[in-house]
Amino acid sequence: MNSMENLEKQLTCPICLEMFTKPVVILPCQHNLCRKCANDVFQASNPYLPTRAGSLTSGGRFRCPSCRHEVVLDRHGVYGLQRNLLVENIIDMFKQESSSSKPTPESIEETPMCDVHEDEKINIYCVTHSVPTCSMCKVFGAHKDCEVAPITSIYQTKKTELSDGIAMMVGNNDRMQGIISQLEEACRAIEENGRRQKTLVCEKFDHLYSVLEEKKREMSQKVTVEQQEKVNYIRGLTKKYGDHLEESCKIVEMGIQTMEEQEMAVFLQSTKDILKKISEASSTAHLDKIERGYENMDHYSVDFKEEGKALRTIDFIQDDEDEDDEDEDGEAGTEEGEGAQTTSGGDAVTDASVQPSAAPQMTSSSPSAAKSAA
């Protein structure tokens, strides 16, 4: 009995909750539905598909109510799905086995009884109040002035209405599931686009950093060149003065030795030459002198206030059109150009460059210009 009950559950349509009638298989998930139930669900899910004489003229999407798998149907719609003949044969065998194995008990229908007339069965339906009732209530009771109908006809009408409502809800659920899928896909696209745009922004800033580093090396090199030139000149001048000082010291020693000479003739013979050397050594006209402030390097001072303001105005491009990247060879940062801008939500990011109001003034003075004659 348990096996038969389990088999009956497997042969029950998930829409109408009855045994399959003309079951069709939904490819590729292999689930089964009654063809009528599948058609109701399909029409509810595709209410705007054109129809002709009650049949669809174009295909549409169908979502399996059991596993939510979506398939695309051709122009035949549900009627293009394959009939599951194996399930139909199993249902026939199940019905035959059930009828042969079960004894035919007396059919006892548990019909509810009327609350007012306890001996009367509820066998009619009050259309006015939308409640089932008994015949005595219609003749003598509270529903004698109401419109009534056979309960069997109302049963079929309400069952059809409920089935249509279920099919409509299934269609609505399919549409909601489709919207959720679209939103999830949009979320994934936003995350991917965000990652790509952040990568582009970082690349543009890295390029800007490289431009600034190159400019820093270039400006530092200018200072270093003049620094080395001045230092070499001062060291050479120091050596000249040192040599002159050493020569003067030797002349002083010679003069002191001459002063110690007691013989006047010898003293007078050597005095002339020494006095000539003293006269020559006392003159520094042949030695260069540096001008005041020669060691100063303040003419290489820079002011990046305007550049700082320009960098703080870096923002994303607000226009819809993408601007072409300029100076991709790495020389964009050496030119005075447009402010750094990147696209807003687009796929391109322009080079970020600084527009200074006034470039830093740098002058160089050669050592020869700094020399002055004695």
Side-chain angles (χ1 to χ4, degrees):
M1 291 299 294
N2 292 332
S3 300
M4 295 296 288
E5 289 177 359
N6 293 332
L7 180 59
E8 185 177 3
K9 291 180 180 179
Q10 296 297 324
L11 299 176
T12 301
C13 175
I15 301 299
C16 64
L17 302 180
E18 295 183 358
M19 200 164 290
F20 289 117
T21 302
K22 297 180 180 180
V24 292
V25 62
I26 303 172
L27 299 175
C29 67
Q30 298 295 317
H31 286 113
N32 295 276
L33 290 176
C34 297
R35 187 166 66 180
K36 180 180 181 304
C37 297
N39 187 52
D40 293 339
V41 173
F42 178 69
Q43 289 183 354
S45 302
N46 302 270
Y48 301 107
L49 287 179
T51 58
R52 182 175 60 193
S55 61
L56 294 172
T57 59
S58 62
R61 295 182 179 275
F62 181 84
R63 191 182 296 275
C64 176
S66 298
C67 66
R68 318 304 298 168
H69 184 82
E70 187 178 76
V71 296
V72 179
L73 303 181
D74 57 11
R75 63 185 183 88
H76 299 290
V78 173
Y79 291 90
L81 295 174
Q82 295 182 357
R83 290 271 298 274
N84 197 333
L85 300 179
L86 176 60
V87 174
E88 290 190 36
N89 295 333
I90 293 174
I91 291 174
D92 293 336
M93 294 172 61
F94 174 81
K95 290 180 178 179
Q96 293 177 4
E97 185 69 17
S98 299
S99 61
S100 62
S101 61
K102 291 183 180 179
T104 56
E106 296 181 358
S107 59
I108 302 176
E109 297 181 358
E110 296 181 358
T111 305
M113 309 301 288
C114 180
D115 295 336
V116 180
H117 309 91
E118 296 180 356
D119 296 335
E120 294 292 330
K121 296 180 180 180
I122 296 177
N123 53 5
I124 61 175
Y125 187 83
C126 178
V127 179
T128 304
H129 296 94
S130 300
V131 292
T133 184
C134 69
S135 301
M136 297 299 294
C137 290
K138 169 59 181 171
V139 178
F140 304 105
H143 302 283
K144 62 181 180 179
D145 298 329
C146 299
E147 180 184 356
V148 296
I151 198 169
T152 54
S153 62
I154 299 298
Y155 166 77
Q156 293 297 331
T157 301
K158 294 297 181 182
K159 190 172 183 180
T160 303
E161 182 180 349
L162 180 60
S163 177
D164 295 340
I166 292 173
M168 182 182 66
M169 290 302 299
V170 171
N172 290 336
N173 292 341
D174 291 340
R175 283 190 288 272
M176 292 297 295
Q177 184 63 39
I179 293 174
I180 291 173
S181 300
Q182 292 177 358
L183 293 176
E184 292 176 349
E185 182 63 26
C187 184
R188 288 191 293 269
I190 290 172
E191 292 176 349
E192 179 62 27
N193 291 336
R195 285 192 294 268
R196 183 171 64 252
Q197 290 305 116
K198 285 191 287 188
T199 301
L200 292 174
V201 169
C202 292
E203 289 177 356
K204 295 301 177 181
F205 271 95
D206 291 340
H207 176 69
L208 180 59
Y209 300 153
S210 65
V211 170
L212 292 175
E213 287 292 336
E214 179 64 26
K215 193 64 179 178
K216 183 177 71 173
R217 287 193 295 269
E218 179 185 341
M219 295 172 69
S220 299
Q221 184 64 25
K222 289 182 179 181
V223 178
T224 303
V225 168
E226 182 168 337
Q227 170 193 336
Q228 193 64 36
E229 186 178 357
K230 286 187 175 184
V231 168
N232 292 337
Y233 172 70
I234 295 296
R235 287 176 179 172
L237 195 59
T238 302
K239 185 177 184 304
K240 289 181 180 180
Y241 274 93
D243 294 343
H244 185 77
L245 178 61
E246 184 179 355
E247 185 66 25
S248 297
C249 291
K250 290 180 180 179
I251 294 172
V252 170
E253 291 178 359
M254 291 174 60
I256 293 172
Q257 292 176 1
T258 303
M259 290 292 292
E260 295 175 353
E261 181 62 45
Q262 299 296 325
E263 183 62 38
M264 289 183 291
V266 177
F267 175 79
L268 291 174
Q269 286 178 354
S270 49
T271 299
K272 182 179 178 180
D273 185 50
I274 293 174
L275 289 175
K276 182 180 179 181
K277 290 182 179 181
I278 290 174
S279 178
E280 291 175 355
S282 298
S283 176
T284 58
H286 64 284
L287 297 175
D288 295 335
K289 294 182 176 61
I290 60 173
E291 63 182 7
R292 184 185 299 273
Y294 178 73
E295 69 280 0
N296 195 351
M297 302 285 286
D298 293 342
H299 52 280
Y300 284 111
S301 62
V302 293
D303 183 6
F304 293 126
K305 290 182 179 179
E306 296 299 327
E307 289 79 358
K309 292 179 181 178
L311 287 174
R312 292 185 185 93
T313 60
I314 293 176
D315 202 349
F316 294 100
I317 293 177
Q318 301 300 325
D319 297 334
D320 294 335
E321 297 181 357
D322 296 337
E323 296 183 0
D324 296 334
D325 290 345
E326 297 180 357
D327 302 326
E328 294 181 353
D329 54 353
E331 298 179 355
T334 63
E335 300 178 357
E336 296 177 357
E338 60 209 23
Q341 295 175 324
T342 54
T343 57
S344 175
D347 294 328
V349 182
T350 61
D351 288 342
S353 60
V354 177
Q355 174 73 33
S357 61
Q361 299 296 325
M362 294 182 292
T363 59
S364 62
S365 62
S366 61
S368 60
K371 301 175 184 177
S372 63

